[in-house]
Amino acid sequence: MSILIQNGRVIDPASGRDEAMDVLIEDSKIARVAKGIQANADETIDAKNKIVAPGFVDMHVHLREPGREDKENIHSGTRAAAAGGFTSVCAMPNTTPVCDTAQGLQFLASRARDNAVVNILPVAAVTVGQAGEAIVEFGDLVYYGAVAFSDDGNPIMNAEIMCRALEYTSMFNVPILDHCDNVDLSKDGQMRSGANSVRLGLKGIPPASESSQVARDIDLAQYTGGRVHICHVSVRQSVRHVANAKKSGVNVTCEATPHHLTLTDAAMEGYDANFKVNPPLGSEDDRRALIEGLRDGTIDCIATDHAPHTDMEKDNVMTEAPFGVIGLESAFPVLYTDLVLTGEIGLNLLLEKITIAPSRILNLKKGTLAEGADADIVVLDLDEEYAIDPQKFFSRSHNCPFVGKQVKGRPVATIVGGRVVFRDGQIVT
Ligand code: DOR
């Protein structure tokens, strides 16, 4: 099977390439990237006036299978990923049951074989049942394919457990994806504390509930030599801690989400639980700090934290509705529209943050168009203009904070391992 993608603007942040070129795929690999390739390919894709980039890699996705398939499952979640241009997604382990054993990973692998249209990279829990009390069998879980460990959804409050976890995982060179939140400070909170939470009468979550935990875990990573990756950084003080730690050589990386990069706590105005997320949306100053962090390299990558919840759960009073927003199908157009078209960051930097940057953190051979690499590719139309409509999403859930937003830019073809899995709005199986 061969595919020739012709006449596109090829952007490969891993190599710095940005020029009009053709890409030839043979079997599951990228065979050649060059001008004017003559080949008798089985399939040709005309990418004139389009961008050809490595398929996006999302380090932070909740697929909800097993246990909450009413919100999402591997079938729907990976189709949402493909439609959003993502060719690899990390599956977070806060499922029911929690993925904390080799059997859990084997189950995920077998479901992925039958139902997934993109690569699923499993993340296993740090503690048994994500209860924060006993560490898992890290070696066993790495052997069975875990690419990282996380108790995401819950912080690891016990510093000794975090210390042990960092020590053990350092032996396998895999990161802990760290949900930083001091629950003693954030308990019962629904949004970021500040003038808006007071005005709206919603209990606030102080910025220090995140940043104090970021500081603690940076110190523990320095002490143990482990690798900590801070999930969904949302406040300026956390960005400062990460920047300082990087300067001192600590093994720390971090991500920001599309919603924290483009929205603020002012969005809570209408008491719509589709803006209720953990960590909560921050101030405009926090948002500026995240964008500055993207530019200066403090924020390594962008991850969606795609967190599906049912309409019934979200259509509830703020105190009862769960935290989380979906992101796979809105990430690229929202980031392109609000960060690139506004001149905040360049297109190449955006693509770097969703391709090669997360791949490096996870030690993957992905996120590049290098010859010989896996043929995971996205073709983007930057001119298409439309309003975001979650009812048209492949995701089973609709808890999107960008409903009706006018955006530009859309993936028009997604190729995974040399197979077209999404083309012109349709999943191809
Ligand atoms: O808002 C969130 N939702 N944050 C998390 O950390 C977990 C996620 C979920 O699983 O719903």
Side-chain angles (χ1 to χ4, degrees), residues 80-95:
F86 292 91
T87 51
S88 297
V89 296
C90 280
M92 281 295 183
N94 62 336
T95 46

Side-chain angles (χ1 to χ4, degrees), residues 60 62 64 94 152-154 179 232 276-279 305 307-309 322-325:
H60 196 144
H62 298 274
R64 305 293 191 217
N94 62 336
D152 182 67
N154 299 309
H179 177 121
H232 37 52
K276 181 180 175 185
V277 65
N278 188 4
D305 192 7
H309 294 291
F323 289 99
V325 298

